[in-house]
Amino acid sequence: MSGPVNPPEPDGAEDGRRAERAALRERISADPLTTRRDYLRIVATVSGGLVVGSTVVSAGVLHRHGDGEAGAVKVADRLEPGQAISFDYPGEDDRAMAIRLPDGTLVGYSTVCTHLACGVLWRRDEGTDGDLYCPCHEGKFDSRTGEVTGGPPPRPLPKVVMVEDAQGAVWAVGTARSGEDEQEGLCRGLRQRDPQLADRAGCASRKSGK
Ligand code: FES
């Protein structure tokens, strides 16, 4: 079975990325809580667009437990390619998993199957990225996207938004609903918890969620 193939990039994609990074640089340099080292690391790790989550971690806020809100929670000091770790997020009974795919991409998901809520496992040796597998009725999900690839699950796995900090530690910083863009989900949660930080992180320019 072959791994996912990236489509050719449209003209101007590189310019778009440069503009995105310039905007990120501006936002982060305006944040007095962000150190230069954090900034360098953040730029290296948010090419996937997790600007908001990185700002949350670098600002050192929302490290709260037991207040019923999903803040930033450190789940591992390090996660190497090909490794996964299970944890509970955002609540104590919400099973989740972070996976470092073989190419270094960091992803996170709820591991509660969208069919009948059995526990989903990561099978490292299935295909290029492994797959997310539910043993109850042989449901399968794509490890890179959470999309359903087989069996009865009706919806993709909801995402847990993961970021890496300056020391290489891995954090869960928010959740996205099934099928929701990661930054949309993160901005929705951040607006509820800290509207000012949401603005500083660039959420104001994204459409409001509920
Ligand atoms: Fe997961 Fe049925 S509960 S496939």
Side-chain angles (χ1 to χ4, degrees):
M1 178 174 153
S2 62
V5 175
N6 291 328
E9 295 198 333
D11 289 346
E14 186 54 39
D15 288 348
R17 265 198 300 275
R18 263 199 292 274
E20 193 178 317
R21 286 187 179 212
L24 166 65
R25 201 172 301 132
E26 207 171 292
R27 283 201 291 273
I28 289 177
S29 61
D31 187 337
L33 296 171
T34 304
T35 66
R36 179 167 174 74
R37 190 177 59 159
D38 283 336
Y39 156 67
L40 291 172
R41 182 62 180 228
I42 288 163
V43 168
T45 56
V46 298
S47 56
L50 296 181
V51 178
V52 182
S54 297
T55 304
V56 170
V57 170
S58 64
V61 296
L62 302 174
H63 299 181
R64 295 182 296 193
H65 296 275
D67 63 359
E69 295 182 3
V73 175
K74 184 156 88 167
V75 301
D77 288 333
R78 200 154 205 95
L79 204 58
E80 302 293 346
Q83 292 183 335
I85 186 165
S86 297
F87 55 98
D88 293 326
Y89 189 87
E92 284 181 5
D93 297 323
D94 299 320
R95 290 164 283 152
M97 180 181 288
I99 305 169
R100 177 81 78 182
L101 298 176
D103 72 354
T105 304
L106 188 59
V107 293
Y109 299 102
S110 160
T111 52
V112 179
C113 183
T114 56
H115 182 219
L116 294 175
C118 284
V120 172
L121 314 166
W122 185 51
R123 299 191 301 186
R124 165 77 184 79
D125 295 330
E126 291 292 317
T128 306
D129 293 329
D131 74 353
L132 289 155
Y133 173 69
C134 179
C136 285
H137 311 98
E138 307 224 318
K140 292 181 190 168
F141 305 85
D142 186 301
S143 298
R144 193 169 286 271
T145 64
E147 295 290 330
V148 179
T149 56
R155 291 181 306 283
L157 286 175
K159 289 179 177 149
V160 174
V161 186
M162 309 300 306
V163 297
E164 185 179 0
D165 71 14
Q167 286 74 40
V170 171
W171 295 73
V173 296
T175 57
R177 294 170 179 155
S178 183
E180 185 179 45
D181 171 271
E182 285 166 308
Q183 284 221 74
E184 289 291 347
L186 201 46
C187 283
R188 177 172 43 75
L190 197 52
R191 277 192 209 99
Q192 289 167 1
R193 296 194 301 269
D194 189 336
Q196 284 188 336
L197 182 61
D199 285 349
R200 296 206 326 261
C203 290
S205 59
R206 300 184 68 85
K207 83 177 182 231
S208 286
K210 296 209 165 127

Short mmCIF file of all heavy atoms in Angstrom, two decimals, residues 113 115-118 134 136-139 152-153, ligand 1:
data_model
loop_
_atom_site.label_atom_id
_atom_site.label_comp_id
_atom_site.label_asym_id
_atom_site.label_seq_id
_atom_site.Cartn_x
_atom_site.Cartn_y
_atom_site.Cartn_z
N CYS A 113 -13.86 6.17 19.03
CA CYS A 113 -14.36 5.91 17.68
C CYS A 113 -15.68 6.63 17.44
O CYS A 113 -16.56 6.65 18.31
CB CYS A 113 -14.53 4.40 17.47
SG CYS A 113 -15.06 3.97 15.80
N HIS A 115 -17.97 5.69 15.60
CA HIS A 115 -19.08 4.75 15.38
C HIS A 115 -19.78 4.49 16.71
O HIS A 115 -20.78 5.13 17.00
CB HIS A 115 -18.54 3.45 14.75
CG HIS A 115 -19.60 2.45 14.45
ND1 HIS A 115 -19.43 1.10 14.64
CD2 HIS A 115 -20.87 2.60 13.99
CE1 HIS A 115 -20.53 0.47 14.29
NE2 HIS A 115 -21.43 1.36 13.88
N LEU A 116 -19.22 3.63 17.55
CA LEU A 116 -19.87 3.33 18.82
C LEU A 116 -18.93 3.51 20.01
O LEU A 116 -19.06 2.82 21.02
CB LEU A 116 -20.45 1.91 18.80
CG LEU A 116 -21.60 1.69 17.80
CD1 LEU A 116 -22.02 0.22 17.77
CD2 LEU A 116 -22.80 2.57 18.14
N ALA A 117 -17.97 4.41 19.85
CA ALA A 117 -17.13 4.87 20.97
C ALA A 117 -16.13 3.85 21.51
O ALA A 117 -15.66 4.00 22.64
CB ALA A 117 -18.01 5.42 22.10
N CYS A 118 -15.77 2.84 20.74
CA CYS A 118 -14.67 1.96 21.17
C CYS A 118 -13.35 2.73 21.08
O CYS A 118 -13.27 3.79 20.46
CB CYS A 118 -14.59 0.73 20.26
SG CYS A 118 -15.87 -0.48 20.59
N CYS A 134 -10.00 0.74 14.65
CA CYS A 134 -10.94 0.42 15.73
C CYS A 134 -11.28 -1.06 15.64
O CYS A 134 -11.89 -1.52 14.67
CB CYS A 134 -12.21 1.25 15.61
SG CYS A 134 -13.38 0.82 16.91
N CYS A 136 -13.39 -2.90 17.20
CA CYS A 136 -14.76 -3.36 17.45
C CYS A 136 -15.47 -3.77 16.17
O CYS A 136 -16.11 -4.83 16.11
CB CYS A 136 -15.55 -2.27 18.16
SG CYS A 136 -15.08 -2.13 19.89
N HIS A 137 -15.39 -2.94 15.13
CA HIS A 137 -16.07 -3.26 13.87
C HIS A 137 -15.17 -2.97 12.68
O HIS A 137 -15.63 -2.64 11.59
CB HIS A 137 -17.38 -2.48 13.74
CG HIS A 137 -18.23 -2.55 14.97
ND1 HIS A 137 -18.26 -1.58 15.92
CD2 HIS A 137 -19.04 -3.54 15.42
CE1 HIS A 137 -19.08 -1.93 16.92
NE2 HIS A 137 -19.56 -3.12 16.64
N GLU A 138 -13.85 -3.00 12.93
CA GLU A 138 -12.87 -2.80 11.86
C GLU A 138 -12.98 -1.44 11.20
O GLU A 138 -12.87 -1.30 9.98
CB GLU A 138 -12.97 -3.92 10.82
CG GLU A 138 -12.90 -5.29 11.46
CD GLU A 138 -11.99 -6.23 10.69
OE1 GLU A 138 -12.07 -6.21 9.46
OE2 GLU A 138 -11.23 -6.95 11.33
N GLY A 139 -13.23 -0.43 12.00
CA GLY A 139 -13.19 0.93 11.47
C GLY A 139 -11.75 1.36 11.25
O GLY A 139 -10.86 0.96 11.99
N PRO A 152 -17.45 1.10 9.43
CA PRO A 152 -18.71 1.84 9.65
C PRO A 152 -18.62 3.23 10.27
O PRO A 152 -19.65 3.90 10.33
CB PRO A 152 -19.47 0.90 10.60
CG PRO A 152 -18.41 0.19 11.37
CD PRO A 152 -17.24 0.02 10.43
N PRO A 153 -17.47 3.72 10.74
CA PRO A 153 -17.51 5.05 11.37
C PRO A 153 -18.09 6.11 10.43
O PRO A 153 -17.69 6.20 9.26
CB PRO A 153 -16.03 5.34 11.68
CG PRO A 153 -15.42 4.00 11.86
CD PRO A 153 -16.11 3.13 10.84
FE1 FES B 1 -15.39 1.63 16.09
FE2 FES B 1 -17.63 0.33 15.58
S1 FES B 1 -17.04 1.26 17.43
S2 FES B 1 -15.95 0.66 14.27
#
